Every structure is written in structure tokens, then in C-alpha cells.
Amino acid sequence: MGSVGQPPVVVAAGAAANGREEVTVYVKAGVDGERMGACPFCQRVFMVLLIKSQHNLLRFKVITTNPAKPPPEFKALGLKHVPALIHGDDGYDALDDIIQYLDTKFPGGGLEYCNPEADLATKDFFSKFCFYIKAVNQDPSKLDQALQKLNSFLEKSTSITNGLTNGDSNHQHDEEEEEDCLPEAQVQFLCGNRLTHLDCEVLPKLQHLRVAAKILKDYDIPTNLRGFWRFLHAAYTHPVFVRTCPCDQEIILHWHDRPETPKLSHKKHSVIAKEKPKYSFDVPVHASVVTVVDE
């Protein structure tokens, strides 16, 4: 069983979840075969599980695995990919199926949302990033445009009561609903002041963009995107994102190993693989930036 770099990877919910059958999620193993590797889809599922466990809706554990050498339980349930989720006799390795199963079997946690404008604002940046990091040319204009689109949405969000819905029918999370009514200036995430499914999808991809584009293409996200950086700062100070985020080195090696992406020298690849895990959780500020290093 692997570790995430900071807290242990095994997560158990509180007393309300006692007696429930434990959910197991398999995520990509890192370069050492133990720690969590860099897969934005694995982190998304991990974030959703952690949020639901914090609401005492389930118990779960995370196991790092090499998809090329899947464990026996994968074969038994016909699973081939990560992330993969096993709960009793049920097994899923399609991302949408995993999310739907968790919301159906363990409803709640405040993850539901209804915000077409946020969906539209977040739609393009990851595909533009994937194209840019694979392209031979150095023109980042399409990626810049996609990030500006996201930033514009984040800066102009004037109402945080924009159709956000809670999965619980009887308003079981009144405190969270009150948080969604904070003043405009305090809006932290895409659909209010708590993480939703959209944040869990978008934030891991943004971290991959930030780290990989800098190292492999020498691309810096513009510092004048204030809404964008405010959004990332909210993630970097939220324990759910911090706990589930892979280290920089894993993100770099994940993209290095993909077809058509810029390659590191064998020596540099080896050095990065052996480095102490680092986490880029800094944002542009007047003071010196800070990079978190796992002790």
C-alpha cells in the first residue's frame, strides 16, 4: 500500500460510517511503486471519496497499483484501468461510472452543483494544454486564451447562489449552505465556498498544467490572472486538495512518459525520480514564493 506524500493513504470515516462495507479505490502508483502517481482522474476520485468520508457517508482505502500489472481482484471483476473502485461485488474502472456509483450509493457531501456558466468556462483549458505540451511549436496563445476565459469567469462571478444544490434533500448541511451566502469577495471555488464535483475535476488538471508546462515547455501562467490564482490559492489551503495532490516530480514524469511530449535527458529523469517530493503550492505574491517540501 502506498503513501500520498503527506498523510497515510488509508482513510477511514467517522462513527456514522461504522458498519458500512469499505470502499477500495486503486490509483496509479508513482515512480517508486509505492507513493501515489500523477493522474488527474485518480486525484478527482480520491477528492470525492475524502469529502464523502468527512461527512461520515462511507469508509474507504486507497491502494497504489501499476495498471500494467493489475492485482488479482482486477481480473476477477474485469477491471483494466485506474482509477478503479471496488465495493463488495461491484467494480468500476470508467471514471463517470465511478462518480455516478458514489453519488447513488453514498449521496451527499455537498458536491452537487448546477452552473452551466462554470461548465463552459472550464471546458477548454485542459485540451488546449494537452495540445500545447505535445506540439513542437512554442506558441501558447490558444492556452492563454483558455486560461483567460476561466479567469474572466472567476473574476466576474457576482453571485454564489447560482444554482448550487446539495445532494441532501432535508438540508442536513445548514452550515455549508450558510457558507455559500458569504459576500462576493470571499467566493473561493467555481460554484461557491465549498468544493463541488466541478472543482474536483478541474483543480487536478490545473495543477498538472501548472507544473508540467513549466518544466517541459518553460511556460509560466500569467501572473495577472487574479481570479485564476485566487482559485488555486483556495485549493492550496484546502486539506482535501493538499492531501490528495501528487508531488511535482510525479506530474513531470507522468507527462514526460506520454507520447509526443518533450523528453528529459536520462540523467535528469533519474535525478527527478530520486528527489525528495516537492509540491508547488505557491501563488504570485509580493513576498517570496513558497514551495512545500515533504519531510
Side-chain angles (χ1 to χ4, degrees), residues 83-99:
L85 184 138
I86 294 178
H87 181 224
D89 295 328
D90 296 316
Y92 303 92
D93 63 358
L95 182 60
D96 289 344
D97 292 343
I98 292 172
I99 300 298

Side-chain angles (χ1 to χ4, degrees), residues 40 43-44 47 199-208 241:
Q43 187 184 359
R44 176 184 176 184
M47 289 177 71
D199 299 292
C200 294
E201 176 184 354
V202 168
L203 284 168
K205 293 177 179 178
L206 287 178
Q207 188 69 0
H208 276 241
F241 181 81

